[in-house]
Amino acid sequence: MAQIKLTVNGKEALGEKGDSVLSICEKNGIRIPTLCHHRSLVDTGACRVCLVEIKGTRGYRPACCTESNEGMVIKTDTDEIKRLRRSMLEFLFSERNHFCMFCEASGDCELQNLAYEHGIEHAKYDYAEPQVRVDSTRYYFVFDENRCILCQRCIRACSEVAGHNVLDLGKRGADARIISDLNVPFGESSCTSCGTCLQVCPTGALIDRKSSYMGRMAQCNVTKSTCSACSVGCGIEVVTRDNHILKVNGDFDTPASKGVLCVAGRFETLHIDKERITKPMIKRANTYDEVGWDEALDYVSSKFKEIGMKNVIGLISPKATNEEASAFAKLFGNDKVGEFASHTVLPSIHSGNRDGGTRMPSKDRIAVLDDVRPSDCILMYKVDLDKESRVVGSFAKLAFYKGNATLILVDDKTNGFDKHATLKIKPEEINVAKELLERSSNPVIIYSADTTADELETLLFLSGKSKLLGLLAGANSRGLLNMGIDGKVDASKAKALYVLACDDGLKGQFNRYNSDFVVLQTSHATPEMEDADVILPAQIWSEKDGSITNIDGLVQKVVKTIDSPEGVQSNQVTIEILAQKVLGS
């Protein structure tokens, strides 16, 4: 874009043609107060707080929605502008119940901060005191309309960032309010609890149940890390205080997800009610005895030597970091390590292997996450993106609602995307989709980790234009595949098993097969763990440093945000100590 020059408050400001006045001011370090503006949303000028004076233009213009032009002369801080901003803020305070001392957001509220900035210490106008509701029907958050200023950030975030289109503005004038779907309570709506609306709300209208009244942002630490809920590898910002995680926000700067999260990444990992395992345990006479780390690892190493390492198989969670997986593979050997609780392993495009003679697509036919949103035709093969890899589902919804893409759903079961699909067909009718794919410019086929070699062959040759995006079973499945670790190891033939479950959850899938001896390293107590002979504590996602490789092959940092409970040592250290005891290295 061509560079342009503006004069703002008597000083030169440089920007690009097409930038808004607000954008150029921000680039040049000139602050203009805002409320409805958010850097990841399309501006609407709803709050009128960012009004500026432009020479030669009648009245005042919202800086966020005014396109800049060469030679503009702008004033942002005249006495009259400040008076107008103060009046707008005073009206906002009078319209709803903004008694700050009773509000969870007090101290972190953008409206409150602007009030102090503009010298507002008391209410100038009578309070309207409208009869509005507090909607507490969602499990993870509450919507208090008393605190809402109708900035519409939540509406725009729901549609523009997350793609769900649940929220809208109902009624008009003084009766205007935020509604979900056709004005039903949040808990009865199509809301997926992704929490994007919660993160962008500038006041205390949307309240996180877990973090409310637990501390102001100034009292907290914010650490950028990577979500381990699925293989998308969303960027997250973990908010902590006194070694407790208060909440997880989406990182709008991350290349993988660009700020989008799903319910699993934002909420579910913080609402685990299972007991934490903090001490090693050895089963003796059907009873688990708590022991020290040295005794536990000495016992395991002696049993492995007795059985013979050639008869021991390691199963590893796809939530393990690349560093943990590397140490694990060194202990057992790549050919003796499989992915714990994995689905059928893809005839893997990602690992570059061929399975059963299946022809693999060339590199230019392998889709990445950034291919989904601009696609004009998306075929989803036997995958419910409202249940797995939900952020990919958000991208598909954005392509459908914002880009008018065709959505083809191939499934013979009820699917969360039934209501979004342009066309739904059964797997045996898949050839019906050929013409739609061929007519498209940028078609993408998304398929699950359960897809068989024969099914992939069919998808591959359904359309020569289509790029294929194969979802993976877990957060670091791609990293494991890159090391040669997959799900092809036959655990039923092992005489001994070592299962590094991390915080994956056993989900009813863990068993000892035909093994004589089983070691389970896991983070939380579940009934399934009683199949193990030795139980070792494991760190959870927020307690370790390392990296994971997402579905695109992007290696992303996992950053420690809290300390492990006393007695829980590093997963990697545990494996390395055991390797030294067993292998002498």
Side-chain angles (χ1 to χ4, degrees):
M1 300 293 290
Q3 191 175 69
I4 60 174
K5 184 187 299 182
L6 283 63
T7 301
V8 182
N9 300 334
K11 296 181 180 180
E12 183 182 279
L14 300 178
E16 294 179 345
K17 186 171 177 58
D19 283 347
S20 68
V21 170
L22 177 62
S23 177
I24 289 184
C25 287
E26 288 178 336
K27 290 177 181 178
N28 287 269
I30 302 167
R31 182 176 175 276
I32 298 177
T34 64
L35 269 178
C36 66
H37 169 75
H38 188 281
R39 64 190 177 96
S40 294
L41 305 176
V42 176
D43 286 307
T44 60
C47 70
R48 318 308 281 185
V49 173
C50 67
L51 292 177
V52 296
E53 178 185 307
I54 302 174
K55 186 176 181 180
T57 301
R58 184 179 177 183
Y60 297 90
R61 296 291 184 87
C64 64
C65 294
T66 302
E67 184 177 333
S68 56
N69 291 302
E70 175 66 35
M72 271 185 169
V73 178
I74 300 167
K75 293 181 180 179
T76 71
D77 59 356
T78 67
D79 289 342
E80 179 62 14
I81 289 173
K82 292 177 181 177
R83 186 190 66 79
L84 287 171
R85 287 179 184 152
R86 179 186 173 108
S87 294
M88 290 303 304
L89 292 169
E90 287 171 334
F91 280 126
L92 286 173
F93 272 97
S94 70
E95 286 177 349
R96 297 283 175 93
N97 179 349
H98 294 290
F99 297 115
C100 300
M101 65 287 293
F102 302 113
C103 179
E104 189 277 330
S106 179
D108 289 328
C109 174
E110 294 179 35
L111 176 65
Q112 184 187 57
N113 290 341
L114 286 178
Y116 285 134
E117 180 183 329
H118 288 78
I120 301 174
E121 298 176 347
H122 62 277
K124 182 176 180 179
Y125 304 106
D126 291 337
Y127 288 104
E129 297 182 348
Q131 297 299 307
V132 293
R133 63 184 178 180
V134 176
D135 186 340
S136 59
T137 56
R138 294 307 292 177
Y139 182 76
Y140 297 112
F141 60 89
V142 174
F143 176 37
D144 184 354
E145 289 192 53
N146 291 281
R147 316 296 188 188
C148 179
I149 59 173
L150 299 174
C151 66
Q152 302 177 48
R153 276 196 199 176
C154 56
I155 296 174
R156 288 175 284 150
C158 187
S159 62
E160 296 170 15
V161 177
H164 300 307
N165 292 286
V166 176
L167 303 178
D168 205 346
L169 195 63
K171 300 185 179 180
R172 296 182 179 181
D175 294 325
R177 50 195 293 265
I178 305 297
I179 61 172
S180 53
D181 290 340
L182 298 176
N183 197 19
V184 299
F186 256 118
E188 298 173 18
S189 72
S190 57
C191 172
T192 65
S193 291
C194 74
T196 311
C197 59
L198 175 70
Q199 183 173 339
V200 301
C201 180
T203 65
L206 286 162
I207 307 166
D208 185 333
R209 289 181 186 267
K210 183 174 179 63
S211 65
S212 60
Y213 300 101
M214 298 295 286
R216 307 294 169 226
M217 289 303 294
Q219 301 167 315
C220 300
N221 296 316
V222 179
T223 307
K224 287 180 180 285
S225 188
T226 304
C227 178
S228 62
C230 77
S231 59
V232 174
C234 298
I236 56 175
E237 294 180 339
V238 186
V239 180
T240 58
R241 184 184 183 192
D242 297 332
N243 206 45
H244 288 85
I245 299 177
L246 300 189
K247 59 184 173 182
V248 175
N249 286 329
D251 181 1
F252 287 99
D253 295 321
T254 189
S257 56
K258 297 176 174 60
V260 186
L261 289 181
C262 70
V263 62
R266 190 184 298 272
F267 296 118
E268 287 178 359
T269 55
L270 306 185
H271 287 258
I272 298 173
D273 58 1
K274 297 182 179 67
E275 181 185 354
R276 191 71 189 271
I277 296 173
T278 59
K279 293 183 179 179
M281 293 180 280
I282 297 175
K283 183 186 280 188
R284 298 186 177 108
N286 292 322
T287 300
Y288 285 105
D289 294 332
E290 292 184 350
V291 298
W293 275 103
D294 287 340
E295 181 180 349
L297 295 181
D298 283 342
Y299 179 68
V300 172
S301 64
S302 65
K303 293 293 289 185
F304 280 176
K305 289 176 181 178
E306 177 186 324
I307 293 168
M309 286 304 290
K310 66 180 181 179
N311 298 313
V312 181
I313 282 178
L315 297 178
I316 187 169
S317 163
K319 286 194 173 186
T321 64
N322 288 317
E323 294 73 19
E324 291 168 340
S326 178
F328 202 71
K330 182 179 179 181
L331 171 59
F332 297 103
N334 282 38
D335 61 332
K336 294 289 185 179
V337 175
E339 184 178 322
F340 164 67
S342 72
H343 298 273
T344 303
V345 173
L346 305 178
S348 186
I349 285 176
H350 301 286
S351 63
N353 296 330
R354 296 174 182 269
D355 182 16
T358 303
R359 293 176 62 183
M360 293 294 102
S362 57
K363 287 185 178 180
D364 63 342
R365 297 232 13 226
I366 299 175
V368 295
L369 294 169
D370 278 345
D371 289 323
V372 178
R373 277 174 292 190
S375 174
D376 58 351
C377 184
I378 300 172
L379 185 147
M380 290 173 277
Y381 184 77
K382 295 169 69 172
V383 58
D384 190 340
L385 294 178
D386 265 354
K387 292 182 179 178
E388 58 178 300
S389 300
R390 295 178 180 98
V391 170
V392 179
S394 280
F395 295 165
K397 290 175 185 177
L398 288 169
F400 177 62
Y401 287 112
K402 299 300 179 183
N404 298 314
T406 300
L407 288 188
I408 305 169
L409 183 58
V410 183
D411 205 339
D412 51 10
K413 300 177 182 177
T414 301
N415 192 297
F417 267 71
D418 285 346
K419 59 189 174 187
H420 307 294
T422 309
L423 171 69
K424 183 178 181 181
I425 54 178
K426 295 180 179 179
E428 58 267 26
E429 302 169 334
I430 195 168
N431 284 334
V432 175
K434 259 187 177 183
E435 185 179 348
L436 286 171
L437 290 169
E438 286 297 331
R439 284 207 314 251
S440 305
S441 301
N442 303 300
V444 172
I445 295 174
I446 303 172
Y447 59 96
S448 76
D450 292 318
T451 303
T452 66
D454 288 341
E455 289 173 320
L456 180 57
E457 187 95 4
T458 299
L459 296 175
L460 181 58
F461 293 101
L462 190 61
S463 165
K465 284 185 177 182
S466 300
K467 289 188 174 183
L468 282 75
L469 180 64
L471 304 179
L472 293 171
N476 199 30
S477 290
R478 176 71 182 266
L480 301 184
L481 285 168
N482 289 347
M483 296 181 196
I485 298 171
D486 54 30
K488 297 176 185 176
V489 174
D490 188 355
S492 65
K493 295 181 180 179
K495 291 186 178 179
L497 284 177
Y498 188 116
V499 181
L500 177 57
C502 299
D503 53 338
D504 205 354
L506 304 182
K507 303 173 184 175
Q509 298 181 51
F510 169 71
N511 67 74
R512 63 185 300 131
Y513 298 99
N514 299 312
S515 301
D516 298 325
F517 181 68
V518 175
V519 180
L520 173 64
Q521 189 171 357
T522 188
S523 59
H524 292 86
T526 62
E528 292 88 350
M529 74 181 192
E530 295 181 9
D531 273 341
D533 298 294
V534 176
I535 299 171
L536 302 176
Q539 292 174 307
I540 64 173
W541 63 275
S542 55
E543 297 168 0
K544 54 190 178 182
D545 290 304
S547 66
I548 58 176
T549 307
N550 83 334
I551 195 171
D552 286 347
L554 183 64
V555 179
Q556 301 179 108
K557 287 185 178 180
V558 173
V559 182
K560 177 181 176 180
T561 57
I562 58 173
D563 295 327
S564 302
E566 185 178 353
V568 179
Q569 69 182 21
S570 161
N571 298 344
Q572 187 174 341
V573 167
T574 298
I575 298 161
E576 289 172 347
I577 292 174
L578 183 60
Q580 189 172 25
K581 291 178 181 292
V582 174
L583 306 176
S585 61

